Amino acid sequence: MAKKTYTDKELMQMAIDVMNKSVNEPRPDGKVPPKVGAVLLFPDGRIETAYRGELREGDHAEFTLLERKFPNENLEGCTLFTTLEPCVERNPPKVPCCRRTTNARIKKVFVGIEDSDPTVDGKGIKHLENHGVEVKMFDREFQRIIEKENEAFLKQALERKRETEEEDLRTPIELPVTNYDSSKFSDIALEKFIKESSLDFKASDETFLEYLADFGAMEWNKEKKQFVPTGFGVLLFGKNPRAKFKNAVLKAHVTYGNQKIEPKDFADALVLLPDQIEEWLKKVLPLSKDTSGFKRKDVPDFPIEVLREAIVNALVHRDYEIEGAKCEIKIDENKVIVTSPGKPLPAISLDELNTFEAPSLSRNPIITYAFSLMDYVEEKGFGMKTFKSLNKEYGLPIPKYTFKEPFLTLTFPRTVEGVKETIGKETIDSLSSEELQNFEIFREKRPISKSDFVEFTGLATRTAERYLKEWTDKGLLIKVGSGPSTKYQMYE
């Protein structure tokens, strides 16, 4: 009998279903326990599950699964799905769940969401990765469900994190900035943040400064008896962020043929940049005629909302601690390139970025939170839906992520030549403009069936078959599977 196979999504959903069975023990200290579910996939396809408090009050789901249910079984080769980052500290002689996992020699773990509690706060994932475990995050659609079910726990965890955070464990950007006070903030930036976040404050209110301190943009200094901006606060709202952080700038370059537009630096407070960049894009992008309405009107020949989202993501998710590295946008006749310092976080792969299925994980949660309040980004998101729909919504080629130390680069091809440059294969040069347009579906980096290809292109079946054979022979595609279930995927 053939073993049962499950998709990653099915196992993520299974972990959530189990999570919802959690039995939360009563806590006299008022601390809200998390709901946690765990699923263990064995090499032979067998599935076992556990949830918090299943066998005994207060027992963690991973402990129940790995130690209570399978104390003597070899779990090497199993894959673990857990809805919450495994714990790092337990009172002796208890062993934390992250160590139980590595002790069991499990080499692949899917984690639902990060645990903001200061005893964990990313250290569980780091422990797994340091011990050779491949860590992947749940898809964003499942993360939202877990966050909603654990809303009270996550709120308390964030409060505990703020209360116990030690300065020597924080990066320079998280720390308060010496000799700075609220006068270093831009009134324009603060007013814009208040207005677009629909907050009921005035910039001069002491309660507003408390609000900024609540999410990490300021910190109370007991000696000075005043609120002091943190590095993140300076980046978000500072009058001159580059005075403190030299690399806090986005450099923009535009070249069309022999015409070179004057380079521009965007170096104001981060909350001011999205609108400034949008206005600049409207001025520098070539115009084309929009005839969709009764009146013809000039519109930019590339969707500004797509570029805006890409640039905002670069600003939000970049690594601000890499000295001398700056965000850039370069526009020419063939392509638009957005670069951002910092490699993808370990739990996010280039493949996940290029299939536009990257999970929720943020390098700069304080910046992300502020931008999400202003509706500039989905909290912790990457604009994946916007980029994925580029071909369907606008008839444009899909973009591609690449990484070359220390920059993550997102390239938007605009022309046939741009697509050829982006794909970067010699054999692609032989394809015509029409063929490249038909080839676009394979750049989503997922297996495509012949019927999917016919539906996408509108080609006759025999013509589609000819294309598939030619592209396979040229090494542009590889076959996945065989017989009627054969699919095709772009060769990397």
Side-chain angles (χ1 to χ4, degrees), residues 233-292:
V234 172
L235 289 170
L236 284 165
F237 310 113
K239 289 178 182 176
N240 182 15
R242 292 195 78 185
K244 182 63 181 174
F245 303 103
K246 305 301 181 193
N247 56 0
V249 61
L250 182 139
K251 304 184 80 67
H253 314 267
V254 182
T255 305
Y256 291 116
N258 296 324
Q259 179 189 7
K260 190 168 184 179
I261 297 173
E262 189 70 24
K264 183 168 179 63
D265 287 357
F266 294 94
D268 282 334
L270 285 180
V271 297
L272 299 176
L273 295 193
D275 290 350
Q276 292 179 4
I277 292 168
E278 182 170 347
E279 288 305 309
W280 175 79
L281 287 170
K282 289 176 181 177
K283 293 176 183 176
V284 301
L285 285 173
L287 299 176
S288 59
K289 293 292 183 183
D290 178 7
T291 58
S292 59

Side-chain angles (χ1 to χ4, degrees), residues 31-36 52 60 62 83-89 111-125 137 143 146-147 150 153-158 160-161 361 380:
K31 189 175 180 181
V32 178
K35 294 181 181 179
V36 184
R52 184 183 177 96
H60 292 197
E62 299 95 328
T83 58
L84 184 68
E85 179 180 4
C87 66
V88 178
E89 297 178 8
V111 175
I113 61 173
E114 295 171 279
D115 186 345
S116 301
D117 190 282
T119 62
V120 187
D121 196 24
K123 295 189 283 290
I125 291 174
M137 303 301 291
Q143 289 181 323
I146 299 168
E147 289 165 352
N150 282 284
F153 163 76
L154 293 173
K155 182 179 179 180
Q156 283 191 356
L158 280 171
R160 290 193 294 273
K161 179 182 177 181
L361 199 61
K380 296 188 178 181

Side-chain angles (χ1 to χ4, degrees), residues 446-462:
R446 60 183 176 88
I448 304 295
S449 66
K450 181 176 68 176
S451 59
D452 288 339
F453 181 54
V454 169
E455 182 180 352
F456 173 79
T457 59
L459 295 169
T461 300
R462 296 191 67 176

